Amino acid sequence: MFSHSLKTTLAASFLLTSGTAPAMADNLGAALVGSIIGGVIVNEANKNRARKQTVTRQKTYSPARAQNRETQTALNYFGFPAGTPDGVMGRKSRSAIAQYQGHMGFPATGELTPYERDFLVSSYSRAQIGGPQVIKAMQGPTGVRGLLLTWRDEATGVRSASSGGYGGLPFEVSEAVDEIAASADPSAEQLLQRSGFMQLADLNGDGKNDYMIDTSVSGSSFWCGASHCSVMVFASTPQGYQRNDFMARGVTTASFSCHQGVCRMTDTPAAGSVQAAAPTPAPAPAPAPGATVLASTVAPVPAPAPAQGLAGIQLFEQPADAPTLASLTSHCSKVSLLTSSNGGYMTVADMRDPELALGEQFCLARSYAINSGEALVAKINGVTQAQVDSQCDAFGPAVQPYLAKLGSDGAEAVISDVQKFVLQSNMSIDQLANTAGICLFSGYRRDNMDVALGAALIMVGVGQRPYAELVGHHLAQGFGVVKSADKAQGWYETAISALEAGATPAFAPGQPERVALIKAASTGLVGGLAQPVPAASTASALPTFSTD
């Protein structure tokens, strides 16, 4: 009798655990990044939240109960206690609904209308993405509950004290976006989605994001002079964000440094960037359109002009800026033209130029990363591409200490450090891998090498060593990091060893010759065999893979 009962219990336990494993994977795929970016940057923000959702007991599936569990989970998250998410809307759940309705200004009936439920659940899904807006809300007096009012105001087009501006941007930054949009054809939302229009970085070292807006990509001549356009830098202070105006062209956040709210340009005037006077409390109150403080500072600069008739062109001749300003998108366009003119991709048999061969494989891997990440982003409901990009921008600074070591430390030493970072993040390996895949897409799509390279490092850190190939390419080609063929070898070897040991290829699966090609080309790059021993296969060109 006891034996029969024990067997029955063990069998039921096995069926329960084996049945929930696919459900866990499905939930992870549906939520995708679910609080990952926020978790990577602020670990304590979303500890173990994803794991709590996996402990469910489902004997039969009911769409209505599944929706109810979703509603109860969202109510609990926003601080309206609905009890255990069991799918049964009892007295406690109805009380939580009434509290939610009262908070939002809806009639407190205890029964959700379709709109009230959809808004609640979609807000919960949006909150799981994390990011600065969610983190700021967690630190506020009402906690994450304040996000509901913020997003209600956004949905109705109202800017209130709870809304925080576009996508959670500070008021000062949002007002500048409106100011620029008033003189340009694109709307404010369209401007925010333009690559290069807004860049984020911690410029004054206070741990908060600062913002740089480049009006040269707005399409409006209102903000531009003969050779320069207005650049607005917003530095965080305890009283809010302070705006600094400059006239410049071709600058990035690396071109500025700030002390508290006052910023200056780190580039020299000869670089073609004219620095505006640092804003002082006196002129600050009048930042109206056209009132950029630059006009008064342009006079002293024309002195070097006689020797520099085309001063703007000299921006492309700054060796120090090459690693950050080099465009991988442009590089891959050139590589594609060369590949077409050469009749196809280089193979092991006909490889004569190791750098070009690796460049072809780099651009091929980039295309795969963009395609894979785009598929992941498509699974996230209720989140715009601009929001994903904004959150991925926080990814670069998070892994910046490890990016800085690429030029000095070996591959295994950097990987070891990244693995420690992964262990301390309190996020699951699958969540980190999904986030890194999305941020690879975001970084490569926008030509943001810090984000892309940081995401590649995280991929390697979570155990997907074939992605070490990307880090090798970045080092070998000099995108986002100082060019170093020697340092690239360790990363290429890491990826090749994993692939030769049977790891699943991250890029161009089903092409075994690709491993041999990268191995031969990386060896030739540092003075090895310029003409590697041909493989047993024929000398047919590698196919061009579609990212459709």
Side-chain angles (χ1 to χ4, degrees), residues 433-471:
N434 280 329
T435 297
I438 288 173
C439 289
L440 265 178
F441 156 67
S442 174
Y444 282 140
R445 181 183 64 83
R446 296 179 295 138
D447 234 7
N448 187 323
M449 295 297 100
D450 279 353
V451 170
L453 188 51
L457 281 178
I458 292 297
M459 279 295 203
V460 180
V462 299
Q464 299 195 28
R465 294 209 163 197
Y467 280 87
E469 175 196 330
L470 284 177
V471 184

Side-chain angles (χ1 to χ4, degrees), residues 155-509:
T156 56
V158 176
R159 293 272 193 85
S160 69
S162 63
S163 66
Y166 294 107
L169 291 175
F171 282 122
E172 299 87 346
V173 181
S174 291
E175 288 172 358
V177 173
D178 283 337
E179 185 180 346
I180 297 167
S183 63
D185 290 332
S187 65
E189 289 79 4
Q190 290 171 329
L191 284 173
L192 288 171
Q193 295 181 26
R194 288 196 174 184
S195 177
F197 177 72
M198 181 177 293
Q199 300 179 41
L200 282 68
D202 183 6
L203 299 177
N204 57 11
D206 64 355
K208 298 179 181 179
N209 275 330
D210 302 310
Y211 301 80
M212 187 197 87
I213 295 179
D214 185 356
T215 64
S216 66
V217 300
S218 68
S220 171
S221 59
F222 178 86
W223 298 95
C224 297
S227 59
H228 301 87
C229 293
S230 178
V231 175
M232 306 173 188
V233 180
F234 297 83
S236 58
T237 71
Q239 294 75 36
Y241 279 80
Q242 183 167 321
R243 172 171 159 179
N244 299 255
D245 289 328
F246 302 87
M247 286 297 279
R249 184 175 291 276
V251 293
T252 66
T253 52
S255 305
F256 301 91
S257 63
C258 301
H259 176 67
Q260 296 180 354
V262 178
C263 301
R264 63 181 181 85
M265 292 191 67
T266 56
D267 292 344
T268 61
S273 302
V274 181
Q275 180 181 351
T280 59
T292 9
V293 237
L294 308 235
S296 62
T297 63
V298 176
V301 178
Q308 303 177 19
L310 297 175
I313 295 180
Q314 293 187 6
L315 285 171
F316 300 99
E317 300 174 1
Q318 297 179 56
D321 289 340
T324 55
L325 296 180
S327 168
L328 180 57
T329 301
S330 175
H331 176 73
C332 286
S333 296
K334 296 173 185 175
V335 168
S336 178
L337 290 173
L338 289 173
T339 301
S340 298
S341 64
N342 291 337
Y345 283 90
M346 288 188 186
T347 66
V348 175
D350 64 13
M351 193 264 293
R352 295 295 182 271
D353 184 342
E355 187 169 358
L356 179 57
L358 290 172
E360 289 178 337
Q361 297 309 313
F362 187 10
C363 295
L364 179 63
R366 171 182 173 271
S367 296
Y368 266 84
I370 290 176
N371 186 48
S372 300
E374 191 171 23
L376 292 174
V377 172
K379 297 178 183 179
I380 309 177
N381 296 321
V383 179
T384 67
Q385 183 62 61
Q387 290 170 329
V388 171
D389 291 342
S390 176
Q391 290 164 210
C392 284
D393 283 340
F395 209 78
V399 294
Q400 187 60 45
Y402 313 104
L403 297 180
K405 294 181 179 181
L406 289 175
S408 57
D409 295 0
E412 288 304 321
V414 176
I415 292 173
S416 177
D417 287 341
V418 174
Q419 286 174 337
K420 293 175 184 176
F421 171 80
V422 168
L423 291 173
Q424 294 168 1
S425 69
N426 291 319
M427 307 307 296
S428 74
I429 296 298
D430 287 337
Q431 286 177 317
L432 283 171
N434 280 329
T435 297
I438 288 173
C439 289
L440 265 178
F441 156 67
S442 174
Y444 282 140
R445 181 183 64 83
R446 296 179 295 138
D447 234 7
N448 187 323
M449 295 297 100
D450 279 353
V451 170
L453 188 51
L457 281 178
I458 292 297
M459 279 295 203
V460 180
V462 299
Q464 299 195 28
R465 294 209 163 197
Y467 280 87
E469 175 196 330
L470 284 177
V471 184
H473 287 318
H474 278 273
L475 283 162
Q477 307 280 327
F479 288 95
V481 66
V482 176
K483 187 173 183 179
S484 174
D486 291 333
K487 292 298 181 185
Q489 298 309 302
W491 294 92
Y492 283 132
E493 290 168 5
T494 298
I496 291 169
S497 297
L499 292 168
E500 289 180 338
T504 302
F507 317 110

